[in-house]
Amino acid sequence: GFGNPNVAPEESETVEVSLKGNHFGARWRLSGYYTDVQNLIGFDPFTFTAANTSEATLQGVEFETNFVYVGWNVNTNLNYLDARDDSTDEYLDDRAEFAANLQVYRGFGALDVSFDLQAESGRHDRVGQTLDGFAIIGTNLNYRFNDKLRVSGRLDNLFDEDYTLNLATVSHAFRTYGRTATVSLHARY
């Protein structure tokens, strides 16, 4: 009693242009894309089932780079997305207009350390509801005792940011994790 047998399959055509380079010790890629979608599958908040958007356009720009700075490996990516329903010119649900990721990591002998940042601008969600943007930070430690044994620790959402990716109903958000920690032991034999 939950599906929608009238949902049509998505069809899309995409054009993407990319430039890549390696300058001054940094590898980089810049891409622009344009996607025309017919029957985009989404969610209808009024019937609480899957539904089609007859025509939509997704276009954007992505930039990524990786390099080494004072012994730290740095990976970044930045994304801009304009995703619209062609019939209403309304921004599509559950898509951030801007997103950015940063990861830095370094090895210190048997110890590897990394930090990462994930950030998004606000999202538009059901029935015109706007969700705030966010930035969360995580860190990871990995210690190798030898070829067969290592221990790892991960801390996500370091500053216990309260953020929302999408809504369960018009007034209730899906819960996201607060600060979380994971410890694991890896053994090979």
Side-chain angles (χ1 to χ4, degrees):
F2 184 71
N4 181 353
N6 298 318
V7 172
E10 280 186 6
E11 295 182 19
S12 66
E13 294 179 1
T14 299
V15 174
E16 181 174 351
V17 176
S18 293
L19 297 172
K20 295 179 182 181
N22 190 343
H23 297 88
F24 308 106
R27 290 189 315 251
W28 58 271
R29 179 183 64 86
L30 177 65
S31 296
Y33 61 90
Y34 178 91
T35 302
D36 183 31
V37 185
Q38 290 78 41
N39 298 319
L40 178 70
I41 297 173
F43 187 80
D44 184 342
F46 301 108
T47 63
F48 213 65
T49 60
N52 289 112
T53 298
S54 61
E55 292 190 33
T57 300
L58 291 79
Q59 54 189 342
V61 178
E62 299 174 342
F63 178 73
E64 63 183 46
T65 184
N66 52 42
F67 56 91
V68 176
Y69 180 73
V70 292
W72 289 86
N73 295 291
V74 180
N75 295 314
T76 65
N77 67 50
L78 304 168
N79 300 292
Y80 166 76
L81 171 65
D82 183 37
R84 297 192 179 273
D85 180 329
D86 290 344
S87 63
T88 64
D89 198 37
E90 186 174 354
Y91 203 85
L92 294 173
D93 288 353
D94 295 329
R95 290 168 172 84
E97 187 175 9
F98 295 98
N101 293 289
L102 168 69
Q103 180 189 42
V104 294
Y105 62 95
R106 184 173 183 176
F108 297 94
L111 177 67
D112 297 325
V113 178
S114 70
F115 300 94
D116 52 80
L117 168 72
Q118 176 188 357
E120 288 187 1
S121 64
R123 294 175 179 227
H124 166 82
D125 209 288
R126 303 185 190 122
V127 197
Q129 189 82 358
T130 300
L131 305 176
D132 293 336
F134 66 90
I136 54 175
I137 295 173
T139 186
N140 192 65
L141 297 172
N142 186 45
Y143 186 79
R144 292 177 307 281
F145 293 99
N146 53 44
D147 292 0
K148 303 205 182 288
L149 185 64
R150 70 182 163 94
V151 65
S152 299
R154 172 96 188 143
L155 189 57
D156 284 309
N157 197 357
L158 186 63
F159 298 108
D160 200 23
E161 177 76 19
D162 184 19
Y163 67 101
T164 301
L165 291 175
N166 51 30
L167 298 177
T169 67
V170 173
S171 59
H172 291 86
F174 277 112
R175 292 182 50 156
T176 51
Y177 288 112
R179 184 181 305 117
T180 58
T182 307
V183 176
S184 56
L185 180 65
H186 306 268
R188 288 178 37 190
Y189 54 93

